[in-house]
Amino acid sequence: MVAVRGFRGLFLVCAELRRSVEFYRSLGFSLEKTTNRSSVLKLGDSLNLHLHESLSPAEQQTFGVGWQKGSTGIVLLFTCPDLEELWRSAPEEAKEVAPVNTPWGDRIAILLDPDGYRLEFRQGVS
């Protein structure tokens, strides 16, 4: 049996590549490479975020993915040392849930990226 050895990254389909790249760069991602329809951003040493704009119908069928504003069923989870600072610096249109203590003891904030993907930031939790 072949075992999975690691988590390589995330792939998100986006409506406007430039806008999404700018958004994730404002959160601390660095741009690794870009083409006319896709970019790879990196967070830390291990997380790659692949953004791809405007998949053709053939690509959507081949890969079984597409784009729809506010896609549900996926939440991207991140840690953050200072949620209040993150909240203050986030674009207003991205703000969904201000920093709050959850009933289970975590402190979280939720932002929406330009394509409606939910980004949950937990303070001090790995």
Side-chain angles (χ1 to χ4, degrees):
M1 174 193 244
V2 176
V4 174
R5 298 186 187 255
F7 182 68
R8 186 170 157 242
L10 303 166
F11 179 96
L12 297 177
V13 179
C14 58
E16 296 177 43
L17 182 62
R18 180 194 53 76
R19 185 173 164 206
S20 292
V21 167
E22 288 174 9
F23 175 81
Y24 282 99
R25 290 188 72 193
S26 77
L27 296 179
F29 285 76
S30 60
L31 183 61
E32 293 291 303
K33 66 180 179 178
T34 193
T35 69
N36 64 333
R37 292 178 54 220
S38 67
S39 292
V40 177
L41 294 101
K42 193 166 195 85
L43 184 63
D45 294 330
S46 61
L47 178 64
N48 289 326
L49 176 62
H50 301 256
L51 300 174
H52 202 293
E53 179 181 71
S54 305
L55 292 179
S56 70
E59 290 169 320
Q60 289 182 42
Q61 183 176 12
T62 299
F63 301 114
V65 297
W67 177 85
Q68 180 180 353
K69 180 81 172 170
S71 298
T72 59
I74 183 169
V75 177
L76 307 178
L77 305 174
F78 301 95
T79 57
C80 179
D82 187 342
L83 289 179
E84 281 70 22
E85 178 61 29
L86 175 76
W87 190 258
R88 282 191 297 275
S89 65
E92 285 302 315
E93 65 274 10
K95 295 177 177 180
E96 181 73 5
V97 177
V100 63
N101 293 321
T102 66
W104 53 91
D106 292 330
R107 182 151 179 81
I108 68 167
I110 296 176
L111 301 176
L112 299 179
D113 88 345
D115 293 291
Y117 293 108
R118 294 175 67 82
L119 312 178
E120 179 185 292
F121 297 86
R122 292 186 182 202
Q123 186 164 311
V125 177
S126 57

